[in-house]
Each structure stands twice: as C-alpha cells, then as structure tokens.
Amino acid sequence: MPWFAGIERAEINWHPTIDHDRCVKCGMCMNCGKQVYDWTEAGPKVARPMNCIVGCSTCANLCQGKCISFPSLEELRQVYKQRGVWAKVKQELKKEGKIQ
Ligand code: SF4
Ligand code: SF4
C-alpha cells in the first residue's frame, strides 16, 4: 500500500538537503536504499530527491556531520491532515486485516 494514498509524490515537499560546509564525507548517506544520493568527488549529492521515502530521516540519523536536514515535519503532518491521508491509510490497513 502506498503511504501517500493517492497523492502524487511530486506534490510532497520531503527530501534531504546537505549542508556541504559541515559534511565530513563519512559516506553514511550512501546507505540509502532508494538511490537518492550520488557520490561525487566533492562528496554526496542529492541526485534524486523525489526517490526519498516521505517521512524517512534515516540518513540524517546516521550522518556523522549532522548536516542533513529535511523540510518541516509539522508541514508534512498538515498535508496529511488536509488531504485525508490518515483516514485513507487506516481504511487500507483495515482492508488488509492489519488493524481492526
Ligand atoms: S530519508 Fe531515507 S529514503 Fe530519504 S534519502 Fe534518507 S535514507 Fe534515503
Ligand atoms: S552522511 Fe552526512 S557527513 Fe556523511 S557523507 Fe553524507 S552528508 Fe556527509
């Protein structure tokens, strides 16, 4: 089940941004399984931002330079609310028998 419940990925503002001045080139961000980053001579580059899983922040948690940030989580939750995402996901989870 797609989390976005009918909303196009491009409509959602969620992707990493790197503060290159603080990047220590530890490479932890390259652990992302969605090929969001490319490695360049200058370090990591956010090459495919829309591949980022909405709400995920694993790379930021692993980042040794603490230099990866994301848009506001509160803004994301507002989108969920306005677009009825929670209700739609709940409906799908019920259909799949994962909740009652
Ligand atoms: S937040 Fe998750 S999906 Fe997005 S780039 Fe980082 S590890 Fe990949
Ligand atoms: S995880 Fe952070 S510090 Fe490490 S290479 Fe990626 S952006 Fe740079």
Side-chain angles (χ1 to χ4, degrees):
M1 177 189 59
W3 72 269
F4 36 87
I7 303 176
E8 292 294 325
R9 177 64 183 86
E11 290 183 67
I12 307 295
N13 181 27
W14 189 267
H15 55 81
T17 299
I18 301 169
D19 177 348
H20 289 280
D21 290 340
R22 292 168 59 197
C23 174
V24 297
K25 299 186 178 67
C26 67
M28 290 298 108
C29 51
M30 297 305 289
N31 192 46
C32 169
K34 301 298 283 184
Q35 289 79 46
V36 170
Y37 298 97
D38 280 346
W39 192 259
T40 71
E41 274 186 25
K45 172 184 164 191
V46 179
R48 286 163 291 277
M50 290 297 117
N51 279 11
C52 180
I53 298 170
V54 175
C56 181
S57 55
T58 301
C59 53
N61 297 337
L62 285 170
C63 174
Q64 289 188 338
K66 295 183 183 170
C67 60
I68 299 176
S69 60
F70 289 87
S72 152
L73 193 54
E74 194 46 46
E75 186 188 308
L76 180 63
R77 291 174 72 85
Q78 282 300 319
V79 172
Y80 283 3
K81 193 175 174 183
Q82 285 159 8
R83 303 292 292 268
V85 170
W86 282 313
K88 287 175 191 167
V89 171
K90 193 168 184 178
Q91 205 175 26
E92 287 300 318
L93 288 170
K94 277 186 180 174
K95 250 194 258 173
E96 292 171 10
K98 290 179 179 165
I99 61 171
Q100 295 177 343

Short mmCIF file of all heavy atoms in Angstrom, two decimals, residues 16-79:
data_model
loop_
_atom_site.label_atom_id
_atom_site.label_comp_id
_atom_site.label_asym_id
_atom_site.label_seq_id
_atom_site.Cartn_x
_atom_site.Cartn_y
_atom_site.Cartn_z
N PRO A 16 16.05 15.19 1.44
CA PRO A 16 17.18 15.69 2.23
C PRO A 16 17.85 16.88 1.58
O PRO A 16 17.83 17.04 0.35
CB PRO A 16 18.14 14.48 2.24
CG PRO A 16 17.80 13.71 1.02
CD PRO A 16 16.35 13.92 0.72
N THR A 17 18.44 17.71 2.42
CA THR A 17 19.31 18.81 1.98
C THR A 17 20.61 18.69 2.77
O THR A 17 20.57 18.46 3.98
CB THR A 17 18.65 20.18 2.27
OG1 THR A 17 17.42 20.25 1.54
CG2 THR A 17 19.56 21.33 1.84
N ILE A 18 21.74 18.80 2.06
CA ILE A 18 23.04 18.67 2.72
C ILE A 18 23.66 20.04 2.94
O ILE A 18 23.71 20.85 2.02
CB ILE A 18 24.00 17.83 1.85
CG1 ILE A 18 23.44 16.43 1.60
CG2 ILE A 18 25.38 17.73 2.51
CD1 ILE A 18 24.22 15.65 0.53
N ASP A 19 24.15 20.26 4.15
CA ASP A 19 24.97 21.44 4.42
C ASP A 19 26.41 21.02 4.13
O ASP A 19 27.07 20.37 4.96
CB ASP A 19 24.80 21.87 5.88
CG ASP A 19 25.69 23.05 6.25
OD1 ASP A 19 26.60 23.39 5.45
OD2 ASP A 19 25.52 23.61 7.34
N HIS A 20 26.89 21.31 2.94
CA HIS A 20 28.19 20.81 2.49
C HIS A 20 29.36 21.33 3.34
O HIS A 20 30.40 20.68 3.42
CB HIS A 20 28.40 21.12 1.01
CG HIS A 20 27.51 20.29 0.12
ND1 HIS A 20 27.81 18.97 -0.21
CD2 HIS A 20 26.30 20.55 -0.45
CE1 HIS A 20 26.84 18.48 -0.96
NE2 HIS A 20 25.92 19.41 -1.12
N ASP A 21 29.17 22.48 3.97
CA ASP A 21 30.25 23.01 4.81
C ASP A 21 30.50 22.11 6.03
O ASP A 21 31.60 22.12 6.59
CB ASP A 21 29.89 24.43 5.31
CG ASP A 21 29.92 25.43 4.17
OD1 ASP A 21 30.55 25.14 3.14
OD2 ASP A 21 29.29 26.50 4.32
N ARG A 22 29.47 21.37 6.43
CA ARG A 22 29.62 20.53 7.63
C ARG A 22 29.81 19.05 7.30
O ARG A 22 30.04 18.23 8.18
CB ARG A 22 28.40 20.72 8.53
CG ARG A 22 28.35 22.13 9.13
CD ARG A 22 27.02 22.42 9.76
NE ARG A 22 26.67 21.50 10.83
CZ ARG A 22 25.45 21.33 11.32
NH1 ARG A 22 24.45 22.02 10.82
NH2 ARG A 22 25.23 20.48 12.28
N CYS A 23 29.69 18.71 6.02
CA CYS A 23 29.82 17.31 5.61
C CYS A 23 31.25 16.81 5.84
O CYS A 23 32.21 17.46 5.44
CB CYS A 23 29.45 17.18 4.13
SG CYS A 23 29.74 15.51 3.48
N VAL A 24 31.37 15.66 6.52
CA VAL A 24 32.71 15.11 6.81
C VAL A 24 33.03 13.94 5.87
O VAL A 24 34.00 13.21 6.07
CB VAL A 24 32.82 14.65 8.29
CG1 VAL A 24 32.64 15.84 9.23
CG2 VAL A 24 31.80 13.56 8.63
N LYS A 25 32.15 13.76 4.86
CA LYS A 25 32.36 12.71 3.83
C LYS A 25 32.50 11.32 4.45
O LYS A 25 33.33 10.52 4.02
CB LYS A 25 33.54 13.04 2.93
CG LYS A 25 33.37 14.35 2.16
CD LYS A 25 34.51 14.55 1.18
CE LYS A 25 34.32 15.82 0.36
NZ LYS A 25 34.42 17.06 1.11
N CYS A 26 31.65 11.05 5.44
CA CYS A 26 31.70 9.73 6.09
C CYS A 26 31.06 8.65 5.21
O CYS A 26 31.30 7.47 5.40
CB CYS A 26 31.00 9.79 7.44
SG CYS A 26 29.21 10.08 7.33
N GLY A 27 30.20 9.07 4.29
CA GLY A 27 29.57 8.12 3.36
C GLY A 27 28.31 7.45 3.88
O GLY A 27 27.70 6.65 3.17
N MET A 28 27.90 7.76 5.11
CA MET A 28 26.73 7.08 5.69
C MET A 28 25.45 7.31 4.87
O MET A 28 24.59 6.44 4.81
CB MET A 28 26.51 7.56 7.14
CG MET A 28 27.53 7.08 8.13
SD MET A 28 27.57 5.29 8.28
CE MET A 28 29.11 4.91 7.48
N CYS A 29 25.33 8.45 4.24
CA CYS A 29 24.12 8.74 3.46
C CYS A 29 24.00 7.80 2.26
O CYS A 29 22.88 7.55 1.78
CB CYS A 29 24.10 10.20 3.01
SG CYS A 29 25.63 10.71 2.21
N MET A 30 25.13 7.24 1.81
CA MET A 30 25.09 6.35 0.66
C MET A 30 24.47 5.00 1.02
O MET A 30 24.27 4.15 0.16
CB MET A 30 26.51 6.16 0.09
CG MET A 30 27.14 7.44 -0.44
SD MET A 30 26.14 8.27 -1.69
CE MET A 30 26.31 7.14 -3.07
N ASN A 31 24.16 4.80 2.29
CA ASN A 31 23.47 3.59 2.73
C ASN A 31 21.99 3.61 2.35
O ASN A 31 21.31 2.58 2.44
CB ASN A 31 23.62 3.46 4.26
CG ASN A 31 23.19 2.11 4.76
OD1 ASN A 31 23.57 1.10 4.19
ND2 ASN A 31 22.40 2.08 5.81
N CYS A 32 21.48 4.75 1.90
CA CYS A 32 20.08 4.84 1.49
C CYS A 32 19.80 3.84 0.37
O CYS A 32 20.52 3.77 -0.61
CB CYS A 32 19.78 6.26 0.99
SG CYS A 32 18.18 6.40 0.18
N GLY A 33 18.73 3.08 0.54
CA GLY A 33 18.38 2.07 -0.44
C GLY A 33 17.56 2.59 -1.61
O GLY A 33 17.18 1.82 -2.50
N LYS A 34 17.28 3.87 -1.62
CA LYS A 34 16.41 4.44 -2.68
C LYS A 34 17.19 5.24 -3.72
O LYS A 34 16.60 5.95 -4.53
CB LYS A 34 15.33 5.33 -2.04
CG LYS A 34 14.44 4.61 -1.04
CD LYS A 34 13.65 3.48 -1.65
CE LYS A 34 12.47 4.00 -2.44
NZ LYS A 34 11.64 2.89 -2.97
N GLN A 35 18.50 5.13 -3.70
CA GLN A 35 19.36 5.82 -4.68
C GLN A 35 19.07 7.33 -4.75
O GLN A 35 19.05 7.93 -5.82
CB GLN A 35 19.21 5.20 -6.08
CG GLN A 35 19.82 3.83 -6.23
CD GLN A 35 18.95 2.73 -5.65
OE1 GLN A 35 17.75 2.71 -5.90
NE2 GLN A 35 19.52 1.85 -4.86
N VAL A 36 18.84 7.92 -3.61
CA VAL A 36 18.61 9.37 -3.56
C VAL A 36 19.92 10.12 -3.81
O VAL A 36 19.93 11.17 -4.45
CB VAL A 36 17.99 9.77 -2.20
CG1 VAL A 36 17.96 11.29 -2.03
CG2 VAL A 36 16.58 9.18 -2.08
N TYR A 37 21.02 9.55 -3.31
CA TYR A 37 22.31 10.23 -3.39
C TYR A 37 23.21 9.64 -4.47
O TYR A 37 23.18 8.44 -4.73
CB TYR A 37 23.06 10.09 -2.06
CG TYR A 37 22.37 10.72 -0.88
CD1 TYR A 37 21.59 9.94 -0.02
CD2 TYR A 37 22.50 12.07 -0.61
CE1 TYR A 37 20.96 10.51 1.08
CE2 TYR A 37 21.88 12.65 0.49
CZ TYR A 37 21.11 11.86 1.33
OH TYR A 37 20.50 12.43 2.41
N ASP A 38 24.04 10.50 -5.05
CA ASP A 38 25.18 10.05 -5.86
C ASP A 38 26.44 10.53 -5.15
O ASP A 38 26.44 11.61 -4.51
CB ASP A 38 25.15 10.70 -7.26
CG ASP A 38 24.18 9.98 -8.19
OD1 ASP A 38 23.74 8.86 -7.86
OD2 ASP A 38 23.87 10.56 -9.25
N TRP A 39 27.49 9.74 -5.25
CA TRP A 39 28.76 10.15 -4.66
C TRP A 39 29.58 10.85 -5.74
O TRP A 39 29.71 10.33 -6.85
CB TRP A 39 29.51 8.93 -4.13
CG TRP A 39 30.68 9.31 -3.27
CD1 TRP A 39 31.99 9.34 -3.63
CD2 TRP A 39 30.63 9.74 -1.90
NE1 TRP A 39 32.77 9.75 -2.57
CE2 TRP A 39 31.96 10.01 -1.50
CE3 TRP A 39 29.59 9.93 -0.99
CZ2 TRP A 39 32.27 10.46 -0.22
CZ3 TRP A 39 29.91 10.38 0.29
CH2 TRP A 39 31.24 10.63 0.66
N THR A 40 30.12 12.00 -5.43
CA THR A 40 30.93 12.76 -6.39
C THR A 40 32.29 13.05 -5.75
O THR A 40 32.48 12.76 -4.56
CB THR A 40 30.26 14.11 -6.75
OG1 THR A 40 30.36 14.98 -5.61
CG2 THR A 40 28.79 13.94 -7.11
N GLU A 41 33.16 13.63 -6.50
CA GLU A 41 34.48 13.98 -5.94
C GLU A 41 34.34 14.93 -4.76
O GLU A 41 35.14 14.92 -3.83
CB GLU A 41 35.35 14.64 -7.02
CG GLU A 41 36.09 13.62 -7.86
CD GLU A 41 37.06 14.26 -8.83
OE1 GLU A 41 37.51 15.39 -8.57
OE2 GLU A 41 37.36 13.60 -9.84
N ALA A 42 33.29 15.74 -4.81
CA ALA A 42 33.07 16.72 -3.74
C ALA A 42 32.29 16.12 -2.56
O ALA A 42 32.02 16.81 -1.58
CB ALA A 42 32.33 17.92 -4.31
N GLY A 43 31.92 14.85 -2.68
CA GLY A 43 31.11 14.22 -1.62
C GLY A 43 29.73 13.88 -2.14
O GLY A 43 29.51 13.78 -3.36
N PRO A 44 28.77 13.70 -1.24
CA PRO A 44 27.43 13.28 -1.68
C PRO A 44 26.63 14.41 -2.33
O PRO A 44 26.80 15.58 -1.97
CB PRO A 44 26.77 12.83 -0.38
CG PRO A 44 27.43 13.65 0.67
CD PRO A 44 28.84 13.85 0.22
N LYS A 45 25.78 14.00 -3.25
CA LYS A 45 24.91 14.97 -3.92
C LYS A 45 23.50 14.39 -3.88
O LYS A 45 23.31 13.18 -4.12
CB LYS A 45 25.40 15.11 -5.37
CG LYS A 45 24.53 15.91 -6.27
CD LYS A 45 25.10 15.85 -7.70
CE LYS A 45 24.05 16.31 -8.69
NZ LYS A 45 24.44 16.03 -10.07
N VAL A 46 22.50 15.22 -3.59
CA VAL A 46 21.11 14.75 -3.62
C VAL A 46 20.69 14.74 -5.09
O VAL A 46 20.33 15.77 -5.65
CB VAL A 46 20.19 15.67 -2.78
CG1 VAL A 46 18.75 15.16 -2.84
CG2 VAL A 46 20.67 15.73 -1.34
N ALA A 47 20.77 13.57 -5.70
CA ALA A 47 20.57 13.46 -7.14
C ALA A 47 19.11 13.17 -7.52
O ALA A 47 18.64 13.62 -8.56
CB ALA A 47 21.47 12.36 -7.71
N ARG A 48 18.43 12.41 -6.68
CA ARG A 48 17.04 12.03 -6.98
C ARG A 48 16.15 12.27 -5.75
O ARG A 48 15.72 11.32 -5.08
CB ARG A 48 17.00 10.56 -7.43
CG ARG A 48 17.54 10.35 -8.86
CD ARG A 48 17.87 8.92 -9.16
NE ARG A 48 19.02 8.45 -8.41
CZ ARG A 48 20.31 8.66 -8.77
NH1 ARG A 48 20.61 9.29 -9.88
NH2 ARG A 48 21.30 8.23 -8.01
N PRO A 49 15.89 13.54 -5.43
CA PRO A 49 15.17 13.87 -4.19
C PRO A 49 13.79 13.23 -4.08
O PRO A 49 13.36 12.89 -2.98
CB PRO A 49 15.07 15.40 -4.23
CG PRO A 49 15.36 15.79 -5.65
CD PRO A 49 16.25 14.75 -6.21
N MET A 50 13.13 13.06 -5.22
CA MET A 50 11.78 12.50 -5.16
C MET A 50 11.76 10.99 -4.94
O MET A 50 10.70 10.39 -4.77
CB MET A 50 10.98 12.87 -6.42
CG MET A 50 10.63 14.34 -6.49
SD MET A 50 9.54 14.89 -5.14
CE MET A 50 10.56 16.08 -4.29
N ASN A 51 12.94 10.37 -4.91
CA ASN A 51 13.01 8.94 -4.53
C ASN A 51 12.94 8.79 -3.01
O ASN A 51 12.72 7.68 -2.51
CB ASN A 51 14.32 8.31 -5.00
CG ASN A 51 14.30 7.91 -6.45
OD1 ASN A 51 13.38 8.27 -7.18
ND2 ASN A 51 15.31 7.19 -6.89
N CYS A 52 13.15 9.87 -2.29
CA CYS A 52 13.18 9.80 -0.83
C CYS A 52 11.81 9.38 -0.30
O CYS A 52 10.77 9.89 -0.75
CB CYS A 52 13.57 11.17 -0.27
SG CYS A 52 13.63 11.22 1.51
N ILE A 53 11.84 8.45 0.63
CA ILE A 53 10.59 7.98 1.23
C ILE A 53 10.05 9.07 2.16
O ILE A 53 10.76 9.53 3.07
CB ILE A 53 10.83 6.68 2.04
CG1 ILE A 53 11.32 5.57 1.13
CG2 ILE A 53 9.57 6.27 2.79
CD1 ILE A 53 11.81 4.34 1.86
N VAL A 54 8.83 9.47 1.91
CA VAL A 54 8.25 10.56 2.68
C VAL A 54 8.21 10.19 4.17
O VAL A 54 7.71 9.14 4.54
CB VAL A 54 6.85 10.91 2.16
CG1 VAL A 54 6.19 11.97 3.04
CG2 VAL A 54 6.93 11.39 0.72
N GLY A 55 8.77 11.07 4.98
CA GLY A 55 8.79 10.86 6.43
C GLY A 55 10.05 10.17 6.92
O GLY A 55 10.33 10.17 8.11
N CYS A 56 10.82 9.57 6.02
CA CYS A 56 12.05 8.89 6.43
C CYS A 56 13.13 9.93 6.75
O CYS A 56 13.16 11.00 6.13
CB CYS A 56 12.55 7.97 5.30
SG CYS A 56 14.06 7.04 5.71
N SER A 57 13.97 9.64 7.73
CA SER A 57 15.12 10.52 8.01
C SER A 57 16.31 9.68 8.47
O SER A 57 17.16 10.15 9.23
CB SER A 57 14.74 11.56 9.07
OG SER A 57 14.26 10.93 10.24
N THR A 58 16.37 8.44 7.99
CA THR A 58 17.44 7.52 8.40
C THR A 58 18.83 8.07 8.10
O THR A 58 19.73 7.98 8.94
CB THR A 58 17.25 6.17 7.69
OG1 THR A 58 15.97 5.65 8.05
CG2 THR A 58 18.31 5.18 8.09
N CYS A 59 19.00 8.65 6.92
CA CYS A 59 20.34 9.14 6.56
C CYS A 59 20.78 10.25 7.50
O CYS A 59 21.95 10.33 7.87
CB CYS A 59 20.39 9.58 5.10
SG CYS A 59 19.12 10.76 4.65
N ALA A 60 19.84 11.10 7.90
CA ALA A 60 20.18 12.19 8.82
C ALA A 60 20.58 11.61 10.18
O ALA A 60 21.48 12.13 10.85
CB ALA A 60 19.00 13.14 8.98
N ASN A 61 19.93 10.53 10.58
CA ASN A 61 20.26 9.91 11.87
C ASN A 61 21.65 9.30 11.85
O ASN A 61 22.35 9.28 12.87
CB ASN A 61 19.22 8.84 12.23
CG ASN A 61 17.84 9.42 12.40
OD1 ASN A 61 17.69 10.60 12.68
ND2 ASN A 61 16.81 8.59 12.24
N LEU A 62 22.06 8.77 10.68
CA LEU A 62 23.37 8.14 10.57
C LEU A 62 24.50 9.14 10.30
O LEU A 62 25.66 8.85 10.54
CB LEU A 62 23.36 7.12 9.41
CG LEU A 62 22.65 5.79 9.65
CD1 LEU A 62 22.53 5.03 8.32
CD2 LEU A 62 23.39 4.93 10.66
N CYS A 63 24.14 10.28 9.78
CA CYS A 63 25.13 11.26 9.30
C CYS A 63 26.07 11.70 10.42
O CYS A 63 25.64 12.26 11.43
CB CYS A 63 24.37 12.47 8.74
SG CYS A 63 25.44 13.84 8.27
N GLN A 64 27.36 11.49 10.21
CA GLN A 64 28.32 11.84 11.26
C GLN A 64 28.53 13.35 11.36
O GLN A 64 28.93 13.84 12.41
CB GLN A 64 29.65 11.12 11.00
CG GLN A 64 29.53 9.62 11.26
CD GLN A 64 30.87 8.90 11.21
OE1 GLN A 64 31.83 9.37 10.61
NE2 GLN A 64 30.93 7.75 11.84
N GLY A 65 28.26 14.05 10.28
CA GLY A 65 28.45 15.50 10.30
C GLY A 65 27.22 16.26 10.76
O GLY A 65 27.26 17.48 10.87
N LYS A 66 26.14 15.53 11.05
CA LYS A 66 24.86 16.16 11.44
C LYS A 66 24.50 17.28 10.48
O LYS A 66 24.13 18.39 10.88
CB LYS A 66 24.93 16.70 12.88
CG LYS A 66 25.12 15.61 13.92
CD LYS A 66 25.10 16.20 15.31
CE LYS A 66 25.37 15.14 16.37
NZ LYS A 66 25.59 15.69 17.69
N CYS A 67 24.66 17.00 9.18
CA CYS A 67 24.49 18.07 8.21
C CYS A 67 23.37 17.81 7.20
O CYS A 67 23.27 18.50 6.19
CB CYS A 67 25.81 18.31 7.49
SG CYS A 67 26.42 16.88 6.61
N ILE A 68 22.53 16.79 7.47
CA ILE A 68 21.40 16.52 6.57
C ILE A 68 20.12 16.99 7.26
O ILE A 68 19.85 16.65 8.41
CB ILE A 68 21.30 15.02 6.25
CG1 ILE A 68 22.57 14.53 5.56
CG2 ILE A 68 20.07 14.73 5.38
CD1 ILE A 68 22.59 13.03 5.28
N SER A 69 19.35 17.79 6.53
CA SER A 69 18.08 18.28 7.09
C SER A 69 16.93 17.98 6.14
O SER A 69 17.13 17.64 4.97
CB SER A 69 18.17 19.78 7.38
OG SER A 69 18.42 20.47 6.17
N PHE A 70 15.74 18.12 6.66
CA PHE A 70 14.51 17.85 5.91
C PHE A 70 13.53 19.01 6.10
O PHE A 70 13.65 19.77 7.06
CB PHE A 70 13.87 16.55 6.41
CG PHE A 70 14.64 15.34 5.99
CD1 PHE A 70 15.69 14.88 6.76
CD2 PHE A 70 14.38 14.70 4.80
CE1 PHE A 70 16.46 13.79 6.36
CE2 PHE A 70 15.13 13.62 4.38
CZ PHE A 70 16.17 13.16 5.17
N PRO A 71 12.53 19.10 5.22
CA PRO A 71 11.50 20.12 5.43
C PRO A 71 10.79 19.87 6.77
O PRO A 71 10.97 18.83 7.40
CB PRO A 71 10.55 19.92 4.25
CG PRO A 71 11.39 19.25 3.21
CD PRO A 71 12.35 18.38 3.96
N SER A 72 9.94 20.80 7.13
CA SER A 72 9.27 20.72 8.42
C SER A 72 8.32 19.52 8.51
O SER A 72 7.48 19.30 7.64
CB SER A 72 8.47 22.01 8.61
OG SER A 72 7.36 21.80 9.42
N LEU A 73 8.49 18.75 9.59
CA LEU A 73 7.60 17.61 9.83
C LEU A 73 6.18 18.09 10.10
O LEU A 73 5.20 17.44 9.73
CB LEU A 73 8.14 16.81 11.03
CG LEU A 73 7.56 15.43 11.28
CD1 LEU A 73 7.65 14.53 10.05
CD2 LEU A 73 8.28 14.77 12.45
N GLU A 74 6.08 19.26 10.71
CA GLU A 74 4.76 19.80 11.00
C GLU A 74 4.02 20.13 9.69
O GLU A 74 2.82 19.88 9.56
CB GLU A 74 4.90 21.06 11.88
CG GLU A 74 3.61 21.51 12.53
CD GLU A 74 2.81 20.36 13.17
OE1 GLU A 74 3.38 19.51 13.89
OE2 GLU A 74 1.60 20.30 12.90
N GLU A 75 4.76 20.66 8.72
CA GLU A 75 4.16 20.96 7.42
C GLU A 75 3.66 19.66 6.76
O GLU A 75 2.58 19.61 6.18
CB GLU A 75 5.24 21.61 6.54
CG GLU A 75 4.76 22.11 5.19
CD GLU A 75 5.94 22.56 4.32
OE1 GLU A 75 6.76 23.37 4.81
OE2 GLU A 75 6.05 22.10 3.18
N LEU A 76 4.46 18.62 6.90
CA LEU A 76 4.07 17.32 6.34
C LEU A 76 2.79 16.80 7.01
O LEU A 76 1.87 16.33 6.34
CB LEU A 76 5.21 16.32 6.54
CG LEU A 76 5.00 14.90 6.01
CD1 LEU A 76 4.82 14.91 4.49
CD2 LEU A 76 6.18 14.01 6.40
N ARG A 77 2.72 16.95 8.30
CA ARG A 77 1.53 16.48 9.04
C ARG A 77 0.29 17.30 8.65
O ARG A 77 -0.82 16.78 8.63
CB ARG A 77 1.80 16.52 10.55
CG ARG A 77 2.82 15.48 10.97
CD ARG A 77 3.21 15.59 12.43
NE ARG A 77 2.15 15.17 13.34
CZ ARG A 77 1.94 13.91 13.71
NH1 ARG A 77 2.72 12.94 13.29
NH2 ARG A 77 0.95 13.60 14.51
N GLN A 78 0.50 18.55 8.33
CA GLN A 78 -0.61 19.39 7.87
C GLN A 78 -1.16 18.87 6.54
O GLN A 78 -2.36 18.84 6.31
CB GLN A 78 -0.17 20.85 7.71
CG GLN A 78 -0.07 21.61 9.01
CD GLN A 78 -1.38 21.66 9.77
OE1 GLN A 78 -2.45 21.84 9.19
NE2 GLN A 78 -1.31 21.46 11.07
N VAL A 79 -0.23 18.45 5.66
CA VAL A 79 -0.64 17.88 4.36
C VAL A 79 -1.44 16.60 4.60
O VAL A 79 -2.49 16.37 4.00
CB VAL A 79 0.58 17.59 3.46
CG1 VAL A 79 0.18 16.84 2.20
CG2 VAL A 79 1.29 18.88 3.09
#
